[in-house]
Amino acid sequence: MSTCQIAEKSLQPGAIVVVSWDMPDGASSPMDAQEWVRVREILHRALELRPELRAAWLDEACGGSPGIRGEVESLLAASDRSAFLDHPAMAPASGLLPGRRISHYEVVEKIGEGGMGAVYKAIDTRLDRPVALKVLARGQGTWSHERRFAREAKAASALNHPNIVTIYEFDTHEGLDFLSMEYVQGTTLHQLLEQRTLPLDTLLGYARQAAGAVARAHQAGIVHRDLKPGNIMVTTDGIVKVLDFGLAKRQSAESEQDATQTALTMAGTVVGTPAYMSPEQANSEQEDWRTDIFSFGVILYEIACGRRPFEGRNTHSIMHQIVHAEAPAPSQVNPSVPPGLAALIGKCLAKDRAARPQSMDQVADALGALAQAPPAPKPRSMTRRIWVAGGAVAAAAAAGLWFSRTPARAIVYGLEAQQYRDGEPAGSVYAASAADTFEGGWRFRLRVRPAQSGFLYLINEGPGDTGKSRYWVLFPAGASAPALEANRETTTGWYAFDSNPGVEKLWIVWSEHALAPVEETLRGGTLGEVKDPAQADRIQSILAELKPPAESTAAGQASSVQWRAAEGVMGAAIELRHR
Amino acid sequence: MSPVDVTAMLRQWSDGDAAAAAQLAPVVYAELRRVAHRYLRHERPDHTLRSAELVHEAYLRLVDLKQARWQDRAHFFAVSGQIMRRILVDHARARLREKRGAGATLVALNEAIDLPEQRSFEVIALDDALEGLAKLDPQQSRVVELRFFAGLSVEETAEALGVSRATVNRDWVTARAWLLRELSRR
């Protein structure tokens, strides 16, 4: 790695700066640098661990070097402080600084940024209650923006519904236009969908509440026009609040001028993601309340399938698909979507608005009816079966999202499958659920999201020649396992399963520290195959700790999910067996 | 200097011509100033200038985007980080001198930068500490330069240094700990 240094001490206007790229010089003694590398590695690992686990790690890593340990400990202590370093030197934060007063509101902190301006948490000093304050960005204060802003305030304040954010006031103070509204503490549906931890029926319950709110707005002649998961909040009590009627307009007051303005808005500069647009919006055509029904269909699709119906590299390609392409059928993406839900989604996503449900009430009712319906059976012929036992996994599978919920165990994972023909993927990726069966030619991959940072391994165990097991390290593919960030989803590559008779197991192993025998294998250049019997024994002893209790296998149960939190290692096994 | 020239210089620099980098710095510096002045004239009450915006805008104005490669942008970011550091440190020093009544003329950008007094002390102290870190770990010091002084995101910093985002994150947390301890000892 080359370095880049400025030779000039202080830069004055017009001064010549000499920039050179060199190898680092030996200004510090090699001993210092060497020591630093060690301290740095230990420190970094320690920072990834929960504070209560750090001491154990330091015991292990600094054994016999009190100097290094002292160094790491003092650095750890320093790192706990919040510091000025956490904001760039210039302008600690954009927007209004805490404490700034606007009329009788006092800004507490910035909580979001929308198309037209920033949103702050503020205190209404007269009523002494928290509010959300939306401040129209001055720099963008064009006539159309301000007009739209006023329209939002009027439209939304006319609505009174428990699932719609209440607007308190709209005013101007020292040249800043602002809107104060109910302060909602919670999470957006967008965040909930990204977490992928909630079961389908819970998410559908939220959708139903939102549908009722939008239906109420439609009855008042107000179209939301920007429905998306980011505009749907869920409070800590599970109450849904639809936000941001930012583009709403009164249908009766529609004029030629408004239609032009709509087209301007739709040009994509102000509105963020186009993924939830209706075909008529994407075409800049006249739109009505049924545009919301299409957008709502996109949200339902995302809830059911874990992806959006229209995806593309850029705005243009997404908009083109919205207008011209049919979304992949929900059952194709996730076979466990109840047929009733798939049908409702299909209707909402009709390109022709006359073919959609004609009112949001109908959508809300359909969602209510679905809540009563039993889950769908799963058709498939089989040559091979994957069992994944365990209550949490089964519950999640029935809910259509095959992500096991392990709140105390802290790892969320899912198995995805795809059919391959002649080495090429055929059909779409499918979120596998418990008790699914697959014909030959299928490949599998895992999506894993640990709640803590650490190292992830995927190890295949199959029968060996000598009665002992043979191991292959499938993941990672490189020479060493990268440290994974907490709550970051990792997707492995695709693996074809061994077609030899017998049982094979797929071990998902997560560890707080790199597992030495596995790392040795990775470095050994055997493409993950564990050839050294000593390494195999060490790996086996790690996995043995993760094996399920004897009674569970004795009952003829073919698979197991077993987690062990001790010593910072957790694992799950998916067992695969020929019939 | 026209956009083409800057683009060509970035290219020469990435091809190993150190003299090109020396020629480039004053041009980038001047442009950063110009952009800052322009911002000042259109100042908004709810908006304070961020260094990352400065760097981005200077890049757009100086570099011929039709010819630029991503490496050019990375090099531009790299040189901007050093320049922003110098500009901000000089500014902080000048501000504190002025406070003490020395009557020094503020260096460029002063109208557009608003470093409060506390911040000025911090910037100078950090600049000092960062020299110590550079001796131990040059790459970590560059990460801090780009993140703190140039205000670049993790992605942009990774791009400028030609390393992964994970490496930038890793360098940042350890450098942060080292610097905070260093500053607390002063």
Side-chain angles (χ1 to χ4, degrees):
Chain A
M1 183 72 219
S2 58
T3 71
C4 179
Q5 287 166 336
I6 287 193
E8 184 71 13
K9 271 191 190 131
S10 173
L11 187 70
Q12 295 297 325
I16 299 298
V17 180
V18 182
V19 182
S20 58
W21 290 74
D22 297 306
M23 292 303 290
D25 61 20
S28 57
S29 75
M31 189 55 199
D32 281 354
Q34 251 179 27
E35 239 174 47
W36 168 243
V37 168
R38 189 162 166 213
V39 166
R40 191 180 66 187
E41 296 309 308
I42 298 170
L43 171 67
H44 185 258
R45 196 71 54 81
L47 283 169
E48 290 182 330
L49 296 175
R50 289 197 308 274
E52 64 269 26
L53 297 173
R54 287 176 183 169
W57 161 243
L58 295 186
D59 287 343
E60 183 187 333
C62 313
S65 311
I68 288 202
R69 184 175 184 138
E71 187 76 3
V72 174
E73 277 178 341
S74 74
L75 287 167
L76 274 174
S79 73
D80 283 342
R81 292 176 217 139
S82 70
F84 70 96
L85 261 174
D86 299 335
H87 302 289
M90 275 171 78
S94 69
L96 301 175
L97 296 172
R100 167 89 184 249
R101 277 182 85 101
I102 296 177
S103 183
H104 55 285
Y105 300 101
E106 194 176 301
V107 171
V108 177
E109 61 184 337
K110 187 167 170 177
I111 51 179
E113 191 114 41
M116 298 187 308
V119 184
Y120 302 87
K121 180 184 179 183
I123 298 293
D124 178 339
T125 54
R126 284 185 197 154
L127 296 171
D128 198 23
R129 65 173 174 185
V131 298
L133 203 64
K134 188 169 190 172
V135 179
L136 177 59
R138 170 67 68 80
Q140 315 171 5
T142 61
W143 174 83
S144 66
H145 272 99
E146 281 162 31
R147 201 183 129 89
R148 202 139 55 74
F149 197 69
R151 199 165 56 190
E152 166 180 12
K154 276 191 197 140
S157 62
L159 298 170
N160 183 14
H161 189 276
N163 298 121
I164 294 177
V165 165
T166 311
I167 303 284
Y168 297 140
E169 187 187 10
F170 168 53
D171 205 353
T172 303
H173 176 79
E174 289 175 4
L176 288 178
D177 290 321
F178 67 90
L179 179 76
S180 70
M181 55 194 158
E182 184 184 353
Y183 175 70
V184 179
Q185 208 163 6
T187 324
T188 65
L189 182 60
H190 173 73
Q191 290 164 314
L192 293 175
L193 287 173
E194 285 209 320
Q195 288 167 11
R196 286 176 183 261
T197 47
L198 288 180
L200 182 66
D201 50 358
T202 307
L203 292 169
L204 288 179
Y206 296 153
R208 195 177 162 195
Q209 289 187 51
V214 178
R216 172 72 190 82
H218 286 178
Q219 283 156 17
I222 294 161
V223 180
H224 191 292
R225 302 207 311 147
D226 192 22
L227 278 181
K228 55 186 179 187
N231 274 341
I232 298 174
M233 292 280 288
V234 181
T235 70
T236 38
D237 305 326
I239 311 283
V240 166
K241 297 270 183 184
V242 180
L243 293 177
D244 212 358
F245 276 74
L247 304 172
K249 58 178 176 179
R250 272 177 186 281
Q251 288 188 274
S252 52
E254 190 136 29
S255 68
E256 203 54 38
Q257 206 173 9
D258 273 335
T260 325
Q261 231 173 287
T262 305
L264 281 175
T265 315
M266 289 305 121
T269 47
V270 179
V271 180
T273 170
Y276 302 91
M277 269 186 194
S278 66
E280 54 270 28
Q281 277 179 323
N283 266 337
S284 304
E285 287 165 10
Q286 192 76 9
E287 76 229 274
D288 57 25
W289 74 96
R290 290 170 294 191
T291 193
D292 283 350
I293 293 175
F294 185 93
S295 303
F296 200 79
V298 178
I299 298 172
L300 286 178
Y301 191 104
E302 196 174 352
I303 286 174
C305 302
R307 52 156 282 191
R308 294 176 192 148
F310 308 104
E311 290 181 337
R313 282 194 187 160
N314 52 43
T315 303
H316 178 78
S317 122
I318 294 173
M319 283 166 69
H320 187 269
Q321 287 195 51
I322 289 172
V323 176
H324 299 288
E326 287 303 322
S331 57
Q332 207 183 324
V333 181
N334 179 4
S336 54
V337 174
L341 177 60
L344 175 64
I345 292 171
K347 279 193 87 176
C348 290
L349 292 182
K351 306 286 183 207
D352 176 6
R353 60 187 118 175
R356 294 176 204 153
Q358 292 299 295
S359 81
M360 210 59 190
D361 277 324
Q362 284 177 25
V363 178
D365 289 348
L367 287 171
L370 272 170
Q372 326 290 335
K378 295 181 204 74
R380 245 162 222 283
S381 64
M382 62 164 289
T383 53
R384 143 170 307 200
R385 196 176 173 92
I386 296 182
W387 285 271
V388 184
V393 177
L401 286 174
W402 201 89
F403 275 88
S404 68
R405 292 180 67 208
T406 53
R409 318 292 189 142
I411 293 183
V412 178
Y413 72 95
L415 187 67
E416 290 182 335
Q418 182 164 34
Q419 197 164 15
Y420 273 68
R421 282 198 203 100
D422 304 325
E424 294 294 325
S428 24
V429 176
Y430 153 73
S433 35
D436 268 344
T437 60
F438 300 95
E439 296 180 28
W442 284 79
R443 293 189 192 183
F444 304 83
R445 72 176 177 191
L446 273 163
R447 293 157 75 107
V448 182
R449 187 159 50 79
Q452 299 158 35
S453 53
F455 298 84
L456 175 73
Y457 306 94
L458 187 60
I459 300 169
N460 183 237
E461 178 183 348
D465 305 330
T466 56
K468 280 191 159 187
S469 290
R470 278 179 64 192
Y471 297 98
W472 287 81
V473 182
L474 300 178
F475 182 87
S480 71
L484 300 181
E485 288 170 40
N487 289 316
R488 189 85 168 246
E489 191 172 285
T490 295
T491 308
T492 69
W494 290 101
Y495 309 108
F497 278 91
D498 184 7
S499 53
N500 295 324
V503 179
E504 58 177 336
K505 287 200 189 95
L506 195 58
W507 293 94
I508 307 164
V509 181
W510 175 89
S511 171
E512 281 174 357
H513 48 82
L515 291 173
V518 186
E519 294 285 336
E520 283 163 23
T521 300
L522 291 173
R523 282 196 299 269
T526 55
L527 295 174
E529 187 179 3
V530 183
K531 286 188 167 161
D532 177 355
Q535 275 171 20
D537 285 346
R538 286 160 71 200
I539 289 173
Q540 186 181 29
S541 70
I542 291 171
L543 298 181
E545 298 279 324
L546 305 172
K547 275 189 179 159
E551 55 270 30
S552 139
T553 39
Q557 189 63 294
S559 79
S560 62
V561 176
Q562 177 73 24
W563 300 93
R564 189 184 68 130
E567 289 166 41
V569 183
M570 292 191 239
I574 299 173
E575 203 158 285
L576 309 151
R577 185 179 295 196
H578 263 306
R579 282 211 163 169
Chain B
M1 182 173 286
S2 73
V4 182
D5 293 335
V6 171
T7 317
M9 265 195 242
L10 282 168
R11 191 66 48 85
Q12 285 167 25
W13 182 20
S14 57
D15 292 343
D17 181 358
Q23 278 179 289
L24 196 60
V27 181
V28 174
Y29 179 82
E31 189 57 37
L32 286 169
R33 278 185 64 193
R34 263 198 296 280
V35 174
H37 280 286
R38 220 168 41 79
Y39 260 90
L40 187 68
R41 280 202 300 278
H42 302 282
E43 201 183 10
R44 319 199 299 234
D46 61 336
H47 189 96
T48 30
L49 187 60
R50 281 177 286 187
S51 32
E53 289 173 33
L54 262 178
V55 173
H56 280 277
E57 187 150 345
Y59 177 74
L60 290 177
R61 293 165 65 89
L62 283 176
V63 174
D64 180 1
L65 293 180
K66 283 199 283 296
Q67 291 189 26
R69 306 174 303 186
W70 69 265
Q71 295 97 321
D72 299 334
R73 200 168 96 106
H75 279 109
F76 190 90
F77 283 168
V79 73
S80 298
Q82 304 167 44
I83 294 172
M84 285 307 298
R85 176 175 172 189
R86 283 273 71 88
I87 287 173
L88 286 161
V89 169
D90 286 348
H91 179 85
R93 290 216 174 94
R95 185 190 164 104
L96 295 179
R97 271 202 303 277
E98 195 180 49
K99 193 88 188 164
R100 289 192 296 269
T105 320
L106 294 192
V107 290
L109 275 183
N110 58 341
E111 310 96 312
I113 301 172
D114 184 24
L115 287 184
E117 192 178 342
Q118 177 58 30
R119 198 83 179 146
S120 298
F121 280 117
E122 289 163 354
V123 161
I124 292 168
L126 182 73
D127 179 56
D128 253 21
L130 207 50
E131 278 185 26
L133 181 62
K135 289 191 184 120
L136 211 53
D137 200 321
Q139 170 157 316
Q140 287 198 0
S141 114
R142 281 193 300 278
V143 166
V144 175
E145 208 164 57
L146 292 169
R147 300 271 289 121
F148 182 75
F149 287 106
L152 297 187
S153 67
V154 172
E155 285 76 13
E156 290 160 347
T157 305
E159 195 184 313
L161 296 176
V163 298
S164 72
R165 280 179 307 182
T167 303
V168 170
N169 277 325
R170 191 185 168 95
D171 282 346
W172 172 257
V173 290
T174 32
R176 183 183 178 279
W178 192 90
L179 288 166
L180 291 179
R181 187 189 59 174
E182 200 61 20
L183 291 170
S184 71
R185 283 175 175 172
R186 284 160 192 243

